[in-house]
Amino acid sequence: MLSYYSYLLAGVATKLMPYISVAVAEQDAGVHYDSSAAAEAGHAVGTTEHGAHAEHSGPPHLPSLLTYVRYWIGADTDTAHFLELWINPIFAFLVAIFFTIVAIYVYSKRQMIPGRLQNFMEILVEGAYNFLQTILGNHARTYLPFLGTLFFYILALNFLGIIPLGHSPSTNINITASMAILVFLYAQWTGIRRLGVGGYLDHLAGQPRDTVSWVLVPIMLPMHIIGELAKPLSLSLRLFGNITGEDVLVAAFVVLGVSALSFVHSPVGLPLHIPFILLGILLSTIQALVFSLLSTIYILMMLPHEEHH
């Protein structure tokens, strides 16, 4: 189940990539690197001399493995343009593939007395289940596959920006918005399935039971609809903004560390970015937890009220 939801999350991100954030997508499609100008500026390989580079359509961040692959095969080739445009879905699918391989391996090698890897995976799943049980109660087992995958998937995406030659897809609004839309659809489907169509509409109307509440339906219904639509927007922007700021901060201090020793032509710089990498690890974990926690609460709000306890 974890592998299935990983592919689902990555697949939705890919399908929505051309449609979400139209202005960004148009800029991506119409602007490409000028390799000759980059070479003249001394930045032919992602401004390696400065330790970081600025993508044409996004904030500056450390060069990834695909950055070097693009310039190795030629920055003006169709393959390089493809890698440039689809770098975020590529890394998102790499995480999904990694989850799949680990899940298949652990499941096929499972034993009554677990080994180190199986024991580690069981600790992660049990920890996620115990956390969800404090919120969802007996429903934790039902929603563990989706919410557990959501947490570990986002956590892995966030950590990719800290790993050398990695790139965090969470710094792209298309990726975060696609995951938020998937949470929105899952929560609405949960409400319809558990409450029924009538109960779902009654929930959106504010559950009117007296004259005053029925009079307020024309006000409460639009407010609830706007509130439901605002949830994926807030989820996507929060994750996108925090992880982007984290990666930009690390890249900026890498540049500053290299620049501090540029007068002696040192091939390396001062490790000024190390504290911010540690801070990034903490922030990446918190943001994955916040996204998953809010998603859990959104699902809880769709359950029958007598089951909320």
Side-chain angles (χ1 to χ4, degrees):
M1 290 298 292
L2 295 178
S3 302
Y4 167 75
Y5 281 117
S6 298
Y7 275 113
L8 182 59
L9 291 165
V12 170
T14 302
K15 293 298 183 182
L16 295 178
M17 184 78 174
Y19 304 104
I20 304 175
S21 187
V22 176
V24 175
E26 290 178 350
Q27 184 180 4
D28 287 340
V31 182
H32 300 292
Y33 282 100
D34 185 348
S35 58
S36 60
E40 293 175 2
H43 304 287
V45 188
T47 62
T48 309
E49 295 178 2
H50 294 88
H53 78 290
E55 290 287 356
H56 67 275
S57 61
H61 54 268
L62 296 177
S64 67
L65 178 62
L66 294 185
T67 303
Y68 294 97
V69 172
R70 288 205 310 266
Y71 284 97
W72 178 68
I73 63 178
D76 292 327
T77 62
D78 292 337
T79 302
H81 294 162
F82 174 83
L83 294 177
E84 177 185 355
L85 181 61
W86 297 94
I87 180 174
N88 295 290
I90 288 174
F91 276 99
F93 269 105
L94 287 177
V95 173
I97 293 172
F98 172 77
F99 278 179
T100 301
I101 294 175
V102 173
I104 293 176
Y105 177 81
V106 173
Y107 184 79
S108 62
K109 302 292 184 179
R110 66 190 185 280
Q111 300 174 354
M112 184 62 67
I113 301 178
R116 293 182 179 180
L117 181 58
Q118 180 182 344
N119 190 44
F120 176 71
M121 296 297 292
E122 289 179 357
I123 290 175
L124 294 180
V125 174
E126 184 178 2
Y129 172 77
N130 291 335
F131 176 77
L132 292 177
Q133 191 177 34
T134 61
I135 302 174
L136 298 176
N138 296 330
H139 300 285
R141 184 178 297 274
T142 302
Y143 301 104
L144 174 64
F146 178 78
L147 295 172
T149 300
L150 190 68
F151 171 74
F152 293 115
Y153 184 72
I154 295 176
L155 185 65
L157 295 185
N158 295 347
F159 280 170
L160 275 181
I162 303 175
I163 298 174
L165 299 181
H167 173 79
S168 176
S170 302
T171 59
N172 186 276
I173 188 64
N174 300 283
I175 300 297
T176 59
S178 62
M179 291 187 293
I181 290 174
L182 189 60
V183 171
F184 169 78
L185 295 177
Y186 190 87
Q188 304 310 310
W189 174 78
T190 299
I192 295 174
R193 183 172 63 90
R194 297 302 303 271
L195 300 175
V197 177
Y200 175 75
L201 295 176
D202 180 66
H203 169 77
L204 291 181
Q207 296 182 328
R209 296 294 183 269
D210 51 40
T211 304
V212 175
S213 57
W214 276 107
V215 172
L216 293 177
V217 166
I219 300 176
M220 300 301 297
L221 182 59
M223 289 181 60
H224 280 159
I225 294 176
I226 293 174
E228 292 297 323
L229 295 176
K231 290 174 181 177
L233 179 64
S234 63
L235 281 176
S236 59
L237 291 179
R238 182 185 297 106
L239 180 60
F240 161 73
N242 281 278
I243 302 304
T244 299
E246 164 202 316
D247 285 8
V248 169
L249 189 63
V250 172
F253 275 87
V254 168
V255 173
L256 183 61
V258 174
S259 301
L261 297 181
S262 61
F263 67 96
V264 295
H265 304 287
S266 173
V268 296
L270 297 175
L272 302 178
H273 60 290
I274 297 298
F276 298 98
I277 289 180
L278 300 178
L279 180 63
I281 294 175
L282 177 62
L283 181 62
S284 296
T285 305
I286 292 176
Q287 289 305 313
L289 181 61
V290 168
F291 196 105
S292 304
L293 178 60
L294 291 177
S295 301
T296 304
I297 294 175
Y298 295 158
I299 292 175
L300 175 65
M301 294 172 64
M302 286 296 178
L303 298 177
H305 290 291
E306 61 271 13
E307 300 179 4
H308 280 189
H309 65 278

